[in-house]
Structure formats: structure tokens, C-alpha cells
Amino acid sequence: MTDKQVHSIEIAGVKRDLRLFEIKPGLKIAILNILGDTELVQACARELGKKLAEVDYDILVTAEAKSIPLAYAVSVETKKPYVILRKSYKPYMGDALKAETLSITTGQPQILFLDEKDRRLIENKKVVILDDVISTGSTLQGMRMILDKAKAEVVAEAAILTEGDRAEWMHIISLGHLPLFTE
């Protein structure tokens, strides 16, 4: 039996019903899946681009996979390049850097890799970390660890939405906030 509970939200002028997903007994989160949602991605990229206009940075960095279209769209808006941290290592990635984090949606460890070619792009650069939703901060932590190893300076962190304890995410440049849903 599927639970069809939703949380309605307006992000960057676009309304969406986000399905609630139980991550553990008595706790649900609203799922924002931007993959294939061109209208929402473009609207969010425009708004995040405006908010990032005041930030002095060289490059955008995100983690695979759901935030890739957002990174691309924000890159087009801001005319700044972007780098994707991968979740699996491929031989062509050469001397890649890696960091391990924990995924909130799977509860499993997740490893992030920075391709050798991208490593050269971000070394000694000012970067903005970009994500679709920042929830526990575990992916952020993994991204920060890799960027520190790559000698990049994180000057800002941005997301479409933050989730959970809003006070924890006051430093995040975002377009909105999602509550946690408890029973």
C-alpha cells in the first residue's frame, strides 16, 4: 500500500506537491526530485543565480546525481563553470580525491570522488557548494572534505531548499525550507 501524503510548496514562483517519504518509523521527509522538471530547475537557477551575484567565487561544485541539472542551469545563468563530485570511481578519473559521508535517504555510507581533471580546475579557487536539498549536512560535509583536500576555498553553500532544523542552515543561500514530518 502506498502512502500518497504530500507537502505543497511554492519554490521560485513554481508550485509543487512533494510526496512524503518515511525515512524511519514516525519520521517523514518531503521529497524534492528535480530530475526531468525543467520548469522548476530553470526557475530555481534564475533565483539562485540572483542570490549568488553578491558572492565572489570561481566555480560551482555539486554531488551526483539529482542536483546535476541544477548545477548546469545555475552555471548557464551565472556564466560560472561547474564540477560534479561523483559517487563511484571510474578508471579514467585518474588520481581522484575521495571522501566518505552518510546518505539520509538510504542510511548507507556514500563515497564522493573528485576527478583528477576537475581537481586541477578547483585547486586554489573560490567555490560555491550547490545542492538540491540540504537536510542533515552529511553530503555537505563530504563535499567540504574533498574541497579542503583539493585546496579549494568554500565561500558559500547554496541549495534550492533546506530541511530540518532551520537554525542550523541560516548560512545556506536557499529558496525555502522544508519541515520534518513526525507522527
Side-chain angles (χ1 to χ4, degrees):
M1 183 154 122
T2 57
D3 186 355
K4 296 291 184 191
Q5 289 179 293
V6 297
H7 175 69
S8 298
I9 190 167
E10 184 174 322
I11 313 162
V14 179
K15 292 182 177 153
R16 291 292 181 264
D17 288 333
L18 308 181
R19 189 174 62 84
L20 297 187
F21 175 76
E22 188 170 65
I23 56 171
K24 63 183 181 185
L27 180 62
K28 294 179 182 175
I29 60 174
I31 300 295
L32 176 70
N33 186 350
I34 63 172
L35 294 176
D37 193 341
T38 309
E39 177 190 24
L40 181 61
V41 170
Q42 289 302 127
C44 291
R46 266 190 305 278
E47 293 306 309
L48 283 171
K50 289 176 192 170
K51 289 182 175 236
L52 289 171
E54 303 301 313
V55 178
D56 177 25
Y57 69 102
D58 304 304
I59 195 162
L60 298 157
V61 177
T62 196
E64 198 171 51
K66 285 193 323 183
S67 56
I68 292 173
L70 178 65
Y72 171 82
V74 172
S75 174
V76 170
E77 287 291 324
T78 62
K79 300 188 179 19
K80 300 280 187 176
Y82 70 98
V83 164
I84 307 295
L85 301 178
R86 306 289 301 272
K87 290 185 180 171
S88 62
Y89 178 81
K90 310 282 190 276
Y92 65 78
M93 293 167 68
D95 185 19
L97 293 176
K98 73 177 184 177
E100 189 171 311
T101 183
L102 193 70
S103 167
I104 184 178
T105 42
T106 65
Q108 299 298 313
Q110 163 181 290
I111 299 177
L112 296 173
F113 295 91
L114 174 62
D115 188 314
E116 181 179 3
K117 80 168 178 62
D118 294 333
R119 213 173 143 171
R120 288 193 295 270
L121 280 177
I122 68 170
E123 189 173 355
N124 300 315
K125 296 286 196 287
K126 295 177 185 174
V127 302
V128 169
I129 291 176
L130 183 63
D131 209 349
D132 57 342
V133 177
I134 294 175
S135 188
T136 64
S138 64
T139 303
L140 268 185
Q141 182 182 17
M143 288 194 274
R144 282 187 205 118
M145 286 167 37
I146 281 189
L147 294 169
D148 187 51
K149 287 180 185 179
K151 299 178 181 75
E153 179 189 358
V154 176
V155 294
E157 297 168 335
I160 296 173
L161 299 170
T162 55
E163 181 175 61
D165 182 0
R166 190 185 300 247
E168 270 188 71
W169 307 128
M170 297 310 282
H171 69 286
I172 302 292
I173 296 167
S174 74
L175 304 179
H177 182 77
L178 290 171
L180 296 176
F181 300 87
T182 54
E183 293 173 354

